[in-house]
């Protein structure tokens, strides 16, 4: 479980600096020190955005069969994602549900830019490539292939959020994007480093929901967790839940398993995976306050990762 040392990694960095903190914690926790240091030394203070529904549910971490439907239940919300079809080179192709860290990074970029510009039509061009590289995702080789695949899956899939309580109803079935997000197959110097079409248009239903319920995140934290899809999900969840709650809130291991366990493995195997992800997420969110116990975790009201919506 998470002990006192885990929850004070950021304080160690503040007190002793990152190099000394890495010596103090030893090999097991050095990656946490690096994550905390990335966030604490961030001078740009740029902000990322996620829709609140994605704070409580998430996409799969691993590839599903292309025909599989994805369903994930979170706190008072259920996400349903269905694979879609697209026309490619004169034929109809089935694209499965988007998955993994690359899909999450594409979605975070689209949501951030839409809120930043207050427009569901998002200019891409070189800007998305630049953002990915700033997030530590080097473009080329296997990364390019993965981004191309996830972009196609995001474009093709349909999704629906079912909200519970307060008379809430689910979305009308829609998608994430209504047009664009086609990945270019050839990139050269004349193309100014573009990877995508010049623009993408978010689905109207998704855009309205995002505009009504945006959750600000620290871009430095996204960068530090860019290659850890489960830790990124946990960070985004904590960023919303710990700010939204009014008092100590208990979350059972069964609830955590239902929301975050995408492996299908028994709870006893999920716990250590989640605990490692929670450590990384807390290192990226130094103001987060929570306790881990045998029955689950207790979230405590915390300052949000960022105080302004957009800078």
């Amino acid at each position: 479980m998470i002990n006192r040392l885990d929850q004070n990694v950021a304080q160690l960095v503040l007190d002793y600096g990152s190099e000394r903190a890495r010596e103090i914690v030893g090999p097991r926790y050095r990656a946490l020190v690096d994550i905390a240091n990335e966030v604490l030394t961030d001078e740009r203070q740029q902000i990322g955005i996620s829709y609140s529904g994605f704070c409580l549910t998430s996409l799969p971490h691993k590839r599903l069969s292309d025909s599989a439907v994805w369903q994930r239940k979170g706190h008072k919300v259920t996400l349903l994602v269905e694979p879609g079809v697209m026309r490619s080179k004169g034929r109809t192709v089935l694209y499965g549900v988007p998955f993994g860290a690359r899909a999450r990074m594409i979605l975070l970029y689209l949501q951030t830019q839409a809120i930043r510009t207050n427009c569901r039509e998002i200019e891409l061009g070189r800007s998305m490539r630049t953002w990915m590289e700033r997030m530590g995702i080097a473009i080329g080789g296997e990364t390019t292939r993965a981004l191309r695949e996830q972009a196609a899956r995001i474009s093709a899939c349909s999704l629906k959020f079912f909200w519970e309580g307060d008379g809430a109803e689910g979305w009308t079935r829609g998608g994430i994007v209504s047009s664009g997000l086609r990945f270019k197959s050839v990139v050269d110097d004349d193309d100014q480093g573009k990877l995508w079409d010049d623009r993408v248009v978010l689905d109207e239903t998704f855009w309205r929901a995002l505009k009504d319920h945006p959750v600000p995140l620290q871009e430095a934290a996204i960068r530090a967790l860019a290659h850890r899809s489960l830790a990124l999900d946990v960070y985004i969840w904590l960023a919303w839940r710990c700010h939204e709650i009014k008092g100590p809130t208990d979350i059972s291991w069964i609830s955590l398993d239902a929301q975050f366990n995408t492996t299908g493995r028994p709870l006893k195997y999920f716990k250590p995976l989640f605990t490692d992800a929670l450590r990384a997420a807390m290192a990226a969110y130094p103001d987060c306050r929570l306790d881990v116990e045998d029955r689950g975790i207790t979230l405590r009201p915390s300052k949000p990762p960022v105080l302004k919506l957009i800078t």
Side-chain angles (χ1 to χ4, degrees):
M1 295 300 177
I2 295 184
N3 57 32
R4 185 178 180 184
L5 173 63
D6 296 323
Q7 298 196 52
N8 285 283
V9 167
Q11 191 61 50
L12 286 176
V13 173
L14 290 172
D15 291 344
Y16 300 103
S18 61
E19 291 303 317
R20 178 59 180 145
R22 293 178 94 250
E23 294 175 1
I24 293 172
V25 301
R28 182 180 179 186
Y29 294 107
R30 283 173 184 164
L32 302 183
V33 171
D34 295 339
I35 292 171
N37 187 60
E38 177 111 9
V39 171
L40 293 170
T41 59
D42 174 41
E43 296 182 353
R44 292 174 56 87
Q45 292 296 303
Q46 293 293 305
I47 292 175
I49 295 292
S50 176
Y51 167 56
S52 61
F54 283 128
C55 298
L56 299 172
T57 62
S58 60
L59 297 173
H61 298 288
K62 303 294 184 180
R63 183 180 193 134
L64 308 178
S65 67
D66 286 346
S67 61
V69 173
W70 175 253
Q71 182 170 305
R72 185 62 22 180
K73 182 175 177 58
H75 177 68
K76 295 185 178 181
V77 64
T78 299
L79 169 65
L80 178 69
V81 187
E82 297 178 323
V85 295
M86 293 177 66
R87 295 288 292 175
S88 176
K89 298 180 180 179
R91 63 190 181 95
T92 300
V93 179
L94 176 66
Y95 288 93
V97 171
F99 65 90
R102 299 296 176 257
R104 287 161 169 76
M105 296 303 288
I106 292 173
L107 284 171
L108 284 169
Y109 173 82
L110 296 178
Q111 293 172 94
T112 299
Q113 289 300 104
I115 294 298
R116 186 180 299 279
T117 61
N118 194 33
C119 181
R120 72 185 182 107
E121 182 176 313
I122 302 164
E123 297 295 329
L124 297 179
R126 178 184 286 274
S127 61
M128 190 167 181
R129 176 180 182 134
T130 300
W131 186 82
M132 289 289 180
E133 291 177 338
R134 194 164 77 238
M135 294 299 98
I137 300 174
I139 303 300
E142 182 58 35
T143 298
T144 297
R145 287 189 289 273
L147 289 170
R148 180 184 293 115
E149 176 184 4
Q150 296 308 318
R153 287 168 176 258
I154 290 170
S155 294
C157 76
S158 63
L159 80 164
K160 189 172 184 179
F161 284 91
F162 299 90
W163 291 91
E164 304 169 10
D166 301 326
E169 298 181 355
W171 284 14
T172 301
R173 187 179 306 276
I176 297 173
V177 302
S178 61
S179 65
L181 202 60
R182 292 179 301 176
F183 206 110
K184 291 181 179 294
S185 59
V186 177
V187 180
D188 55 34
D189 292 340
D190 293 335
D191 203 26
Q192 297 182 335
K194 297 177 184 177
L195 287 176
W196 288 269
D197 285 346
D198 288 336
R199 68 172 192 161
V200 60
V201 180
L202 295 184
D203 177 85
E204 176 65 28
T205 301
F206 180 67
W207 162 238
R208 288 199 307 268
L210 172 64
K211 189 174 181 180
D212 290 343
H213 303 284
V215 177
L217 310 167
Q218 190 170 354
E219 189 180 87
I222 297 173
R223 181 171 61 248
L225 302 175
H227 302 285
R228 300 166 175 251
S229 61
L230 179 55
L232 187 59
D233 285 350
V234 176
Y235 166 77
I236 293 172
W237 171 64
L238 292 174
W240 188 78
R241 285 289 275 148
C242 288
H243 176 54
E244 177 264 348
I245 58 176
K246 305 303 182 183
T249 301
D250 295 331
I251 313 291
S252 70
W253 280 112
I254 293 175
S255 295
L256 293 169
D257 181 77
Q259 180 173 343
F260 292 103
N261 186 358
T262 67
T263 67
R265 302 180 70 188
L267 179 59
K268 67 179 181 179
Y269 298 112
F270 164 72
K271 282 185 177 182
L273 293 176
F274 179 82
T275 302
D276 286 344
L278 184 59
R279 288 185 176 111
M282 293 181 67
Y285 182 8
D287 288 321
C288 177
R289 298 291 176 261
L290 61 81
D291 298 310
V292 180
E293 302 170 344
D294 290 339
R295 66 178 183 273
I297 67 176
T298 299
L299 302 180
R300 302 189 181 281
S302 308
K303 293 194 301 183
V306 291
L307 299 179
K308 297 180 180 179
L309 188 59
I310 285 292
T311 59

